Amino acid sequence: MELVALLQSSPVAFITVVVIIGLLVGSFLNVVIYRLPVMMERDWQAQCDMPSGCDAASDCHLEQENSGPSTFNLAVPRSTCPKCNHLITALENIPIISYLFLRGKCSHCKAPISARYPIIELTTAVLSALVAWKFGFGWPALAALVFTWCLICLALIDFDTQYLPDNITLPLLWLGLFVSLFTLFVDLRAAVIGAIAGYLSLWLVYQLFKLVTGKEGMGFGDFKLLAALGAWLGWEALPTVIFFSALVGAVIGISLILIRGRDRNIPIPFGPFLATAGWITFMLGDDAANFYLNLLGLS
């Protein structure tokens, strides 16, 4: 009880605790971002191998990473160095500190460790601190932290694999509807309409694009992610989210084509842009909508 009283009375103490938790969660997100797509592919492969599924002569053959141990989930097997299979000890897995102490190299074979891991840990801690600063100690902060961590995970999984796992998008959607029962951010009516409008808006764009071009412009995971954002932010925030995600996506896509010569037929995942625009809109609230309207000259 004394700790709770301290966190309630001291914003600095609360933000400090959230930063530490954010670092630990960021370390866990590194595991989820890598392992969840592999788990999904293994599950799909298992379904293909079932007698009721496709046979060996069919065209169902997903590329399967990490075909080593039969048990592969978020806890098993233990993390190892990809070069020498050295087991990562607890002391070598302390967020950021271990990376700095090891100088970005495996303690056994000295192979370089990607800087992406501490960057994700640090990013998670910083965004968590911003949430703690904005909402203060209480249930809204806890809900906003879960929302933030899910978006980080979804954005990076989609960036890597162009998957937006139902394991995350659907619980995020239902959680958004649940917290709206208590009007933490928006009321239930705005959340339900937001979820419906979020899904249908991108679904209609998808169908129209497919009708005109004969191609699929985005995946169904994008529909579910925008539905989840609608549940958390309410339907009134959706135009702002769509505008900023489309704007940033178009700028980055055109830049990749012009600067790096990227093949325009290679799809660019939309999930990271949706997640980023959704989080910024969530944090800025009416200021994001006002900026959007001013930009279009509608305010």
Side-chain angles (χ1 to χ4, degrees):
M1 295 301 293
E2 292 182 0
L3 176 60
V4 172
L6 174 63
L7 297 179
Q8 286 179 323
S9 61
S10 174
V12 174
F14 177 55
I15 293 173
T16 301
V17 170
V18 168
V19 166
I20 295 172
I21 294 174
L23 289 171
L24 296 173
V25 170
S27 180
F28 176 69
L29 293 186
N30 276 318
V31 175
V32 177
I33 290 163
Y34 169 71
R35 294 197 179 197
L36 184 55
V38 179
M39 291 163 56
M40 293 166 58
E41 290 186 354
R42 286 186 169 216
D43 183 54
W44 297 334
Q45 183 66 53
Q47 293 178 38
C48 283
D49 291 340
M50 290 175 62
S52 59
C54 55
D55 55 35
S58 73
D59 202 22
C60 182
H61 54 281
L62 288 171
E63 207 172 300
Q64 187 172 340
E65 293 184 65
N66 205 345
S67 57
S70 57
T71 302
F72 190 89
N73 52 45
L74 298 181
V76 178
R78 286 176 54 188
S79 298
T80 61
C81 170
K83 296 293 183 181
C84 68
N85 291 324
H86 165 68
L87 286 176
I88 306 300
T89 66
L91 290 177
E92 294 172 344
N93 208 26
I94 302 173
I96 296 180
I97 295 175
S98 293
Y99 183 86
L100 296 175
F101 181 77
L102 294 171
R103 298 181 180 179
K105 297 179 181 179
C106 171
S107 63
H108 183 71
C109 69
K110 306 304 178 185
I113 301 171
S114 174
R116 169 178 168 142
Y117 298 115
I119 289 174
I120 291 175
E121 293 165 353
L122 182 60
T123 300
T124 304
V126 170
L127 297 187
S128 299
L130 290 175
V131 168
W133 170 77
K134 176 176 176 62
F135 292 101
F137 183 83
W139 292 111
L142 178 60
L145 285 171
V146 174
F147 176 72
T148 299
W149 298 336
C150 288
L151 290 185
I152 292 172
C153 203
L154 287 169
L156 290 169
I157 289 177
D158 196 32
F159 178 80
D160 288 341
T161 65
Q162 296 187 24
Y163 299 153
L164 283 169
D166 287 350
N167 312 58
I168 303 176
T169 55
L170 295 184
L172 186 64
L173 167 61
W174 289 112
L175 183 59
L177 294 175
F178 175 75
V179 299
S180 70
L181 289 172
F182 309 98
T183 319
L184 291 186
F185 308 110
V186 296
D187 59 54
L188 182 59
R189 181 175 181 274
V192 172
I193 296 175
I196 296 171
Y199 189 93
L200 289 180
S201 59
L202 287 189
W203 181 83
L204 290 173
V205 171
Y206 165 87
Q207 295 295 342
L208 181 61
F209 184 84
K210 187 177 181 179
L211 180 65
V212 173
T213 66
K215 300 179 181 179
E216 296 183 355
M218 62 182 68
F220 279 63
D222 296 311
F223 314 161
K224 298 168 190 174
L225 175 55
L226 190 57
L229 293 176
W232 282 83
L233 279 67
W235 65 270
E236 293 178 321
L238 289 177
T240 306
V241 173
I242 294 174
F243 173 79
F244 283 117
S245 57
L247 178 64
V248 175
V251 170
I252 292 179
I254 294 172
S255 300
L256 289 174
I257 293 173
L258 296 179
I259 298 174
R260 296 189 176 182
R262 182 187 178 99
D263 187 347
R264 66 185 63 193
N265 293 317
I266 298 177
I268 298 174
F270 192 46
F273 307 127
L274 276 177
T276 302
W279 189 82
I280 292 174
T281 303
F282 176 74
M283 292 293 288
L284 294 182
D286 292 339
D287 290 338
N290 292 335
F291 177 79
Y292 157 70
L293 293 173
N294 288 332
L295 197 62
L296 296 180
L298 299 177
S299 179

